[in-house]
Amino acid sequence: MSAQPERPPRTTMQDPAAMRVHPELRAAFESLPRFSDPYEDIEGTRAGFHAMLAAVPADRTGVDSERFEIPRADGSALTVEVYRPEGGAGSGGGEGAAPGPDARTAAHGAGGALPAVLHFHGGGFALGRSLPGQDRAAIALCRELPAVVITVEYRLAPEHRYPAGVEDCYLALEWAAEQAGGLGIDPARIALAGKSAGGGLSAAVALMARDRGGPAIVHQSLCVPDLDDRVGAEEGADGEGADVGGADVGGADVGGADVEGADVEGADAERADAGGELGARVTTGRSVQRSWKHYLPEGTAAAEAYAAAARATDLAGLPPAYVLVCDLDPMRDAGLAYARRLMDAGVPVTVRNVPGAWHGFELFAPETRVAKEMTAHWTGQLRAALYPVAG
């Protein structure tokens, strides 16, 4: 019997699924690394992420920031950082200080109060926290909108499972509204924003504010949001342990790359052979399931609405929303379904899909037109919500 000729190895872009990648993103896709399961050593994963951020300090030109401690009911404290245009409202109070009397003088708008953005970082509910004063997403929004941007160092899973993180985010919203005068914030222009897990937290906090009669929210910006614990459930049940999981990292720029919402999931060679290069290199349903497994309380069969906003049965009365999804993201369909349900409930919604892009693609392709247009679109929508044109 004659020997069969050895088959040449198949290149990444010969994979049929990988061919769906946008042409401008193919080089970046080819360079995607494979990481190990971040939950195997979550402290090591966080340390590595922070080391990466520290290697390239943020450009804070034109922006000041202060850190505040908000007391929780149990006596512990939630840390938030407030970013403002340089020399603007409330600068100079020092860590833990209450907003000062000069806070009513804003850096923009001839002394008027600025709008505010509560920014919740991504990271699979488990990592993604920026270094103090180094949240690139917050700095960019502060400059470009302009706005007071409040980043929230919510408690992280798996050490602190739901509802710890989302309750921290809601506490920060209440604090921002109560301290609006001292922080130089216009309380009628407070928005929520986040990517990935941060987008899911934004949607959940909007639900909480409606249900609890909390602070008014003018806009919710949900970028590639992690909204539904059912995403990838079939994949997770079919191959538990085969996927090495994923989590998103947020709020940073490394060498010019915005890593807000960028994926740190991994895949081993066995999974690459079984699922193709697309499944080996980018976020999959199984990695989404792994994130939810570490966020929800052990034994949870179905998430509550404040954990997974897609579980909410009534979406009426929520603030106007922006929903951005990526074509190759397993969370795309859940995001689009949520947007449609918001529309059906009478909520104004703007939807944007990035064709041929995967979850967190902008980390690896920050200078591409696709990445720049995506960022410009969601930033522009947030600006329009905070600075509406008078009728």
Side-chain angles (χ1 to χ4, degrees), residues 56 253-257 366-367:
V56 185
D253 179 291
V254 181
E367 296 304 316

Side-chain angles (χ1 to χ4, degrees), residues 223-272:
C223 295
V224 292
D226 197 352
L227 296 162
D228 195 337
D229 63 302
R230 293 163 291 192
V231 170
E234 291 182 5
E235 294 179 54
D238 185 49
E240 180 62 28
D243 180 68
V244 289
D248 304 324
V249 297
D253 179 291
V254 181
D258 178 6
V259 302
E260 168 65 27
D263 184 60
V264 261
E265 68 141 336
D268 57 21
E270 181 179 349
R271 177 177 151 219

Side-chain angles (χ1 to χ4, degrees), residues 86-372:
E86 195 169 59
S91 299
E95 184 170 343
D102 63 334
R104 289 175 171 78
T105 303
H108 191 88
L114 285 169
V117 177
L118 270 290
H119 176 257
F120 309 131
H121 66 77
F125 306 104
L127 61 151
R129 184 178 295 166
S130 67
L131 299 172
Q134 296 285 304
D135 193 304
R136 272 73 166 182
I139 292 169
L141 289 174
C142 183
R143 287 194 195 113
E144 295 172 22
L145 293 175
V148 175
V149 182
I150 302 172
T151 60
V152 183
E153 297 185 4
Y154 57 86
R155 286 168 288 182
L156 300 175
E159 300 93 331
H160 303 282
R161 294 173 182 262
Y162 171 83
V166 71
E167 289 290 354
D168 282 350
C169 293
Y170 184 74
L171 178 62
L173 171 65
E174 289 187 311
W175 177 84
E178 290 168 359
Q179 300 292 334
L183 294 169
I185 289 172
D186 177 357
R189 291 186 293 160
I190 297 177
L192 308 174
K195 288 185 181 178
S196 195
L201 290 166
S202 296
V205 170
L207 286 166
M208 296 168 81
R210 180 200 64 181
D211 296 346
R212 297 177 181 182
I217 299 166
V218 72
H219 184 74
Q220 50 178 325
S221 181
L222 315 179
C223 295
V224 292
D226 197 352
L227 296 162
D228 195 337
D229 63 302
R230 293 163 291 192
V231 170
E234 291 182 5
E235 294 179 54
D238 185 49
E240 180 62 28
D243 180 68
V244 289
D248 304 324
V249 297
D253 179 291
V254 181
D258 178 6
V259 302
E260 168 65 27
D263 184 60
V264 261
E265 68 141 336
D268 57 21
E270 181 179 349
R271 177 177 151 219
D273 291 341
E277 286 296 328
L278 186 65
R281 294 169 179 261
V282 303
T283 301
T284 66
R286 277 181 285 186
S287 57
V288 175
Q289 279 292 300
R290 187 175 292 269
S291 176
W292 282 105
K293 176 182 176 182
H294 288 85
Y295 177 56
L296 297 175
E298 294 185 56
T300 299
E304 297 177 0
Y306 296 159
R311 293 280 192 175
T313 57
D314 178 12
L315 301 183
L318 290 171
Y322 174 76
V323 180
L324 180 142
V325 298
C326 286
D327 215 14
L328 306 182
D329 187 343
M331 293 181 275
R332 180 199 66 181
D333 290 350
L336 293 175
Y338 193 72
R340 175 61 184 266
R341 290 185 58 219
L342 286 169
M343 294 177 202
D344 291 344
V347 177
V349 184
T350 298
V351 180
R352 173 88 168 198
N353 176 59
V354 185
W358 61 92
H359 191 88
F361 77 96
E362 66 273 21
L363 168 63
F364 301 97
E367 296 304 316
T368 60
R369 182 180 62 183
V370 179
K372 290 179 178 179

